[in-house]
Amino acid sequence: MRRQELVGYIGVDIGGQSTRVGTFDERGRLKVISFKTEPDFKTECERIAEAARQLLPKGIKRLAVGSPGPLDWRTRYLYDTPNLPWQNVSFAKLEKLVGCEVLLDNDANVAGLGEATLGAGKGKRFITGFTLGTGIGHFQVKDGRIYHGRLDVEAGHQILDPNGPECGCGQRGCLEAFVSATAIQKRYGVPPHELNDPKAWEEIAFRLAQGLVNAAVFVCPDAIILTGGMLARGEMLLGPLRKFYNEMLKIYPEKFRPPVLAAKLGDKAGVVGAIVLAKVGHAE
């Protein structure tokens, strides 16, 4: 898919801290408007609509939103998500504000779709991966389409240690409770971008490697892609992560071991993926 094919579509990436609204112009350049995610859902929708109209004043073909879950992509209904102050809200209401069809999907799925189509997974048939941010999201993309379970895939909440730290979902010992930015702040007293202790990053990488190995043995993808702000720490995280991952994953011969790849779209993966989703729609 070429970026020029995405002209006229709007993508929205909603995070725990900020929201990005974007589109591609005729030359394939990404244009983005960002603002702080609003605690009031009605206000958030109004700001999304305002940004979308500013980017495409002549009309929008379709708009897609990537949001933290759990959510129902079929009905565009968002449940009680741990990292946003919204409960039981519907993005279907956004259609009246933007004047076009609105799609909704899990933010991790959308970021994965962006990487699969225009990023690190381009040319690969089946990828899976994790978004490393305020929470830990998970995605699976096959043949250019997002895979959905009954609701949405939430491998960020796989339990690594039932006696581990409490997670925002109400369980203990989830992957998210060990390696998310929220968990790092809680355990080490500083956010990931200020954490400079190699031993701490080894501890984080060990737990993340557990999650990647579980993903690898369950679905054996062509690649596992990592995206999100935490990748800015580079080899401080990725070095020990690859070491632990390769030590743990013994079931596959090395040549068939799914490689762990860093995202190429950076913090734009979510908004790019949402634009792609607006273009291709859902598989079902």
Side-chain angles (χ1 to χ4, degrees):
M1 180 179 293
R2 297 183 304 111
R3 295 185 175 203
Q4 286 81 359
E5 297 176 50
L6 302 171
V7 174
Y9 295 93
I10 290 285
V12 182
D13 176 30
I14 298 176
Q17 303 298 321
S18 64
T19 295
R20 294 184 175 94
V21 183
T23 191
F24 284 107
D25 66 16
E26 290 79 2
R27 297 176 63 182
R29 296 175 299 188
L30 180 64
K31 300 167 62 179
V32 176
I33 294 174
S34 302
F35 56 87
K36 185 177 180 181
T37 301
E38 295 285 349
D40 178 70
F41 181 71
K42 182 174 180 292
T43 304
E44 173 77 3
C45 287
E46 290 171 348
R47 295 204 64 183
I48 289 172
E50 179 183 358
R53 288 192 297 267
Q54 185 176 337
L55 288 168
L56 292 175
K58 295 182 179 180
I60 303 164
K61 293 179 180 178
R62 188 157 60 183
L63 180 147
V65 178
S67 170
L71 53 82
D72 187 340
W73 59 271
R74 298 172 183 87
T75 61
R76 296 165 293 178
Y77 195 82
L78 178 67
Y79 295 95
D80 185 9
T81 183
N83 298 312
L84 287 173
W86 309 329
Q87 292 182 329
N88 301 317
V89 294
S90 174
F91 279 93
K93 298 177 181 179
L94 185 56
E95 288 184 339
K96 293 182 180 179
L97 296 175
V98 295
C100 68
E101 181 183 8
V102 170
L103 303 179
L104 176 67
D105 215 308
N106 182 283
D107 58 342
N109 288 342
V110 169
L113 181 61
E115 285 294 335
T117 307
L118 296 171
K122 188 174 182 179
K124 299 185 184 302
R125 182 169 180 260
F126 180 28
I127 67 162
T128 188
F130 293 85
T131 58
L132 311 178
T134 304
I136 301 297
H138 178 65
F139 55 83
Q140 295 181 25
V141 179
K142 185 177 181 181
D143 296 326
R145 294 296 183 95
I146 294 168
Y147 166 79
H148 297 98
R150 185 178 181 186
L151 197 58
D152 55 1
V153 290
E154 289 285 355
H157 293 280
Q158 58 180 290
I159 298 173
L160 303 183
D161 179 359
N163 298 312
E166 186 174 357
C167 183
C169 74
Q171 186 52 269
R172 284 189 173 275
C174 296
L175 176 64
E176 182 169 303
F178 284 105
V179 305
S180 66
T182 302
I184 290 172
Q185 173 78 51
K186 186 174 182 180
R187 180 172 183 180
Y188 300 104
V190 293
H193 67 274
E194 294 180 10
L195 182 61
N196 296 310
D197 182 357
K199 183 178 179 181
W201 281 108
E202 283 198 1
E203 294 170 349
I204 296 164
F206 177 82
R207 290 300 188 179
L208 181 55
Q210 285 184 280
L212 301 192
V213 169
N214 289 341
V217 298
F218 273 118
V219 297
C220 195
D222 293 317
I224 298 175
I225 296 177
L226 300 179
T227 183
M230 214 176 299
L231 291 183
R233 298 319 307 262
E235 287 303 305
M236 188 168 283
L237 169 64
L238 295 175
L241 174 63
R242 293 191 183 101
K243 171 180 174 290
F244 290 130
Y245 173 79
N246 286 318
E247 288 176 352
M248 292 181 193
L249 189 57
K250 298 297 187 183
I251 190 64
Y252 299 130
E254 186 174 352
K255 68 177 181 178
F256 292 112
R257 193 173 295 161
V260 177
L261 306 177
K264 290 186 176 180
L265 300 177
D267 61 1
K268 301 300 190 298
V271 69
V272 169
I275 298 169
V276 174
L277 177 61
K279 166 70 174 178
V280 303
H282 291 296
E284 300 176 29

